[in-house]
Amino acid sequence: MGTAERRRAPGADEARVTPQRFAEASDRDIPAGEAGSYRPLWVEEPARRRRLPDPVRTAAVRAVLLIALTLLQAMVAFLCTMAGSWLAFPMVISSVVSTIAATWGALDVWVTRQVWFQRHGVVSMPSSTARALRRERRRSRRQARAAERAQERIRRRGGAGQLSHP
């Protein structure tokens, strides 16, 4: 007998609760019409937003840690000031320095995000007008290059193939 068989008790399949069995078995004292149908506890939904790129997520984690440390230092500075401790002044100074570092961290997230989007392209929707404009520009450039190549080919052949010479 394997591990799976040992773990499963005889008749375990019958004892397993399925949504249909749950609806049938629960609330037997409520009439069938009022019991309603089985409703799951939660419904899985696809993520609305995409995951942050790795460099941006790293910068965001760093910023959150800096901000948390700054808030902790500010609280300690406040408590030391209230207690009249000698540690109050150094903690206030370090809180000011930490505030500057936390501001830098928040700006770092913003700059890293902007740089990443600039290097890897902005996520555009299929209905984006910018995409259609870029496609149209590309098409016109391709046609212009093709026409230029055709003119160059005609010039190389010495005008052969032209009906009239200017």
Side-chain angles (χ1 to χ4, degrees), residues 47-64 108-110 112-114 116-117 120 123:
R48 288 186 186 158
R49 293 170 43 162
R50 296 168 73 140
R51 184 174 153 162
L52 283 175
D54 285 340
V56 179
R57 196 169 54 247
T58 304
V61 168
R62 192 172 38 238
V64 166
D108 181 43
V109 173
W110 183 70
T112 306
R113 184 173 175 270
Q114 296 299 325
W116 194 90
F117 280 137
H120 297 91
V123 178

Side-chain angles (χ1 to χ4, degrees), residues 38 43 75 79 160:
Y38 168 76
V43 178
M75 185 182 67
L79 292 174

Side-chain angles (χ1 to χ4, degrees), residues 13 23 25 41 53 57 66 77 144 160:
D13 290 335
L41 197 55
R57 196 169 54 247
L66 282 169

Side-chain angles (χ1 to χ4, degrees), residues 7-79:
R7 282 192 190 146
R8 193 183 333 195
D13 290 335
E14 295 85 31
R16 203 169 81 207
V17 176
T18 61
Q20 290 81 17
R21 285 192 185 150
F22 178 77
E24 293 166 5
S26 65
D27 297 330
R28 292 188 189 270
D29 54 337
I30 299 176
E34 296 175 26
S37 63
Y38 168 76
R39 238 180 51 220
L41 197 55
W42 67 83
V43 178
E44 298 260 347
E45 294 178 0
R48 288 186 186 158
R49 293 170 43 162
R50 296 168 73 140
R51 184 174 153 162
L52 283 175
D54 285 340
V56 179
R57 196 169 54 247
T58 304
V61 168
R62 192 172 38 238
V64 166
L65 290 175
L66 282 169
I67 291 169
L69 181 69
T70 301
L71 290 173
L72 184 71
Q73 282 183 329
M75 185 182 67
V76 170
F78 175 75
L79 292 174

Side-chain angles (χ1 to χ4, degrees), residues 150-166:
Q151 284 296 327
E152 186 62 35
R153 221 177 291 126
I154 291 171
R155 272 190 237 121
R156 271 188 276 146
R157 281 193 249 165
Q162 288 183 341
L163 295 176
S164 62
H165 296 286

Side-chain angles (χ1 to χ4, degrees), residues 97-159:
V97 172
S98 273
T99 302
I100 293 168
T103 305
W104 170 83
L107 283 174
D108 181 43
V109 173
W110 183 70
V111 169
T112 306
R113 184 173 175 270
Q114 296 299 325
V115 167
W116 194 90
F117 280 137
Q118 190 173 7
R119 285 185 184 162
H120 297 91
V122 179
V123 178
S124 60
M125 298 295 158
S127 62
S128 171
T129 55
R131 181 183 286 180
L133 289 173
R134 280 196 308 267
R135 194 176 293 138
E136 185 59 38
R137 267 187 262 137
R138 254 185 264 130
R139 189 178 298 127
S140 65
R141 275 187 298 219
R142 236 181 267 130
Q143 288 173 348
R145 280 194 304 259
E148 192 177 312
R149 278 194 301 266
Q151 284 296 327
E152 186 62 35
R153 221 177 291 126
I154 291 171
R155 272 190 237 121
R156 271 188 276 146
R157 281 193 249 165

Side-chain angles (χ1 to χ4, degrees), residues 1-10:
M1 185 183 335
T3 310
E5 287 86 15
R6 264 187 269 141
R7 282 192 190 146
R8 193 183 333 195

